[in-house]
Amino acid sequence: MPTLYIAGDSTAAQKGADQKPMTGWGEYLQGYFGPEITVDNRAINGRSTKSYLEQGRLADIEQDFQPGDYLLIQFGHNDEKQEDPARYTDPGKDYRLNLITFIDSARSRGGFPVLLTSVSRRRFTPQGDPDPLAVGAYPQAMREVAELTGTPLLDLFASSQQLYRKLGIEGSRHLFMHLPKSRHPNYPEGITDDTHFSNEGAKQVAELVAEAIRHSADLSALIQHMQPLQQNRI
């Protein structure tokens, strides 16, 4: 039966005990599938498409990837860090070429690539709306690559912004790493982080991913292995 590999950054990655309660959405995706499906979370903290490729992370997946497997691809947060040449990619050029490298890797091995736009940072405009540029030009660049290559797209950026809009500025705070000083031993000085998720936030974003898969006409073979969604609601 197929394996679902996640190639991505810290918003999806498994967190160690020293980082909890920070949680990646990929930690909860397995619960939406039957036991015949394996979710193999290869997302790594701090990676962009560039650094993930250059450090051999995709090559590691390729060693295990089998025909019929799926490759979920979510990058953008670190690609936009212009101050770091080891990670930065131009959304109009290298970012797109790197995404195509991931897509071609899965397809050449008889598998199925799936693009996920970056989950949005919690950033609001002065008018109180989620900032449409909370992850820069990268979500739109990925949408265009998906259309160009005929790759299934899960628009996680759009759905996460809809969630934040529904919850509002204050109501969305609990989804992220906001801890006061001395609340948790891993963060004795406290933390205010609107990119990385709390346990609750990771659960809700994983549900957004599952809902997007369930409503994708291109992923019908995968949908038949999904658990009823109501079993996973929080």
Side-chain angles (χ1 to χ4, degrees):
M1 298 303 294
T3 296
L4 274 67
Y5 291 93
I6 302 174
D9 57 32
S10 57
T11 58
Q14 178 82 33
K15 300 297 184 286
D18 62 336
Q19 294 179 292
K20 293 296 183 177
M22 186 184 293
T23 309
W25 62 258
E27 298 184 55
Y28 281 102
L29 194 59
Q30 182 69 67
Y32 290 92
F33 293 93
E36 70 277 11
I37 297 291
T38 299
V39 174
D40 190 335
N41 189 356
R42 303 286 184 97
I44 305 291
N45 292 347
R47 298 320 191 266
S48 67
T49 56
K50 180 179 181 180
S51 61
Y52 198 94
L53 291 171
E54 290 184 349
Q55 293 170 10
R57 301 292 182 173
L58 178 60
D60 289 341
I61 293 176
E62 290 170 345
Q63 292 180 0
D64 299 321
F65 200 87
Q66 299 295 317
D69 287 346
Y70 291 79
L71 181 62
L72 276 58
I73 306 155
Q74 186 213 245
F75 293 95
H77 296 91
N78 298 301
D79 285 80
E80 69 171 347
K81 295 187 174 179
Q82 295 189 42
E83 73 279 4
D84 185 355
R87 293 187 287 180
Y88 174 71
T89 63
D90 182 334
K93 185 179 179 182
D94 291 342
Y95 179 69
R96 298 171 189 242
L97 294 175
N98 291 344
L99 291 177
I100 292 171
T101 296
F102 283 90
I103 292 166
D104 289 346
S105 173
R107 286 180 173 160
S108 68
R109 289 166 175 79
F112 305 101
V114 181
L115 292 172
L116 289 74
T117 54
S118 294
V119 60
S120 179
R121 292 186 172 91
R122 178 180 170 272
R123 182 184 299 166
F124 289 82
T125 67
Q127 292 73 37
D129 296 316
D131 184 353
L133 294 177
V135 194
Y138 296 87
Q140 181 58 29
M142 181 177 278
R143 295 181 191 112
E144 292 170 4
V145 169
E147 183 174 1
L148 175 68
T149 61
T151 303
L153 176 77
L154 310 181
D155 200 343
L156 189 55
F157 182 82
S159 62
S160 59
Q161 289 220 320
Q162 290 172 4
L163 175 62
Y164 307 160
R165 180 176 289 107
K166 176 182 177 181
L167 294 174
I169 295 175
E170 291 304 315
S172 59
R173 188 185 303 272
H174 75 290
L175 302 180
F176 291 84
M177 286 294 293
H178 284 250
L179 294 172
K181 187 175 181 178
S182 303
R183 174 66 62 84
H184 195 282
N186 282 342
Y187 304 92
E189 298 303 315
I191 183 172
T192 300
D193 181 340
D194 287 315
T195 297
H196 298 100
F197 299 110
S198 65
N199 187 61
E200 174 76 6
K203 287 181 179 180
Q204 294 209 29
V205 174
E207 183 166 323
L208 295 179
V209 174
E211 287 179 340
I213 292 172
R214 191 180 299 277
H215 290 95
S216 174
D218 297 316
L219 299 176
S220 57
L222 184 58
I223 294 168
Q224 64 182 328
H225 299 290
M226 297 187 76
Q227 301 278 27
L229 197 57
Q230 61 269 21
Q231 292 184 9
N232 300 279
R233 289 197 181 277
I234 51 178

